[in-house]
Amino acid sequence: GCGVTLIERSGIGNEASSRNPGGINPMHGTGIPGALQPLARQAFDLHLQHWDRIRQLSGRHFLARRIPRVHVAFSDIDLIELETLRATHLDSEGFSARWMDKNELLKLESRLSPNTVRGLWTEGNAKADSHELTKAVAAAAEKQGAIIRIGEVIGVEGANGRVSGVRLDNTTL
């Protein structure tokens, strides 16, 4: 029920979105495990739940899938961090983790450093073509009534602590 205007500096998906590797990993990052874990997991689940709807609304296809991931330890400190990651994966529905010895890792990638100690195979994370996903989300938003404007935001206008307009390089909305 809200009017939405999306402002993009140089076109949909032409800035950071086109360079993002597209990893969607709710088990990694600041505050994870910890206070941000529930939010990260909820955001992850919502992301995956909406892929089909975004494709349907936008009429665009984008590659998005669940993926395995291998984490490599080169030291005892790395092993401690990977043990935390392993526990987080094992405690989360839809995720799994298992240790890999050096020989298993070398079968996957023979060019690994001789300092490799051990690895952790994790499953459950996701990956999306971020550029195409961004374009699909924008197209779906337009079909739902959003307005997309190209321009650079150079300021805001307002009074009494409320924003009344957004200044673009050539106009004010």
Side-chain angles (χ1 to χ4, degrees):
C2 294
V4 175
T5 300
L6 173 65
I7 303 166
E8 277 284 345
R9 180 183 302 160
S10 64
I12 300 298
N14 290 338
E15 296 289 335
S17 297
S18 65
R19 289 148 187 85
N20 184 306
I24 309 165
N25 308 307
M27 303 300 157
H28 307 272
T30 303
I32 301 169
L36 292 179
Q37 183 74 42
L39 174 63
R41 181 55 196 257
Q42 185 176 12
F44 177 83
D45 291 343
L46 285 170
H47 206 301
L48 273 58
Q49 289 168 15
H50 286 88
W51 284 347
D52 289 338
R53 182 79 172 133
I54 293 166
R55 287 184 183 107
Q56 180 185 44
L57 284 171
S58 69
R60 296 183 67 100
H61 177 75
F62 55 89
L63 182 61
R65 65 200 184 284
R66 300 286 293 261
I67 60 165
R69 186 171 176 185
V70 176
H71 308 263
V72 179
F74 299 102
S75 69
D76 289 342
I77 292 172
D78 291 345
L79 286 173
I80 292 167
E81 291 176 12
L82 289 185
E83 178 53 41
T84 300
L85 182 62
R86 186 180 84 80
T88 302
H89 273 71
L90 293 176
D91 287 343
S92 298
E93 185 178 334
F95 288 80
S96 64
R98 68 173 179 82
W99 286 113
M100 299 176 71
D101 64 27
K102 187 173 181 175
N103 290 331
E104 267 186 288
L105 289 168
L106 289 171
K107 284 180 187 174
L108 283 176
E109 178 51 70
S110 62
R111 298 171 294 176
L112 281 173
S113 165
N115 298 329
T116 300
V117 176
R118 198 173 190 192
L120 184 69
W121 178 282
T122 62
E123 294 197 25
N125 290 317
K127 183 172 178 65
D129 178 333
S130 59
H131 184 70
E132 289 302 318
L133 175 58
T134 300
K135 287 184 166 290
V137 168
E142 274 189 303
K143 288 187 178 173
Q144 295 293 299
I147 297 168
I148 296 178
R149 298 284 304 262
I150 306 302
E152 185 165 355
V153 174
I154 58 173
V156 294
E157 295 178 0
N160 301 321
R162 294 187 56 96
V163 173
S164 60
V166 176
R167 287 194 313 269
L168 303 182
D169 44 5
N170 57 1
T171 190
T172 299
L173 301 178

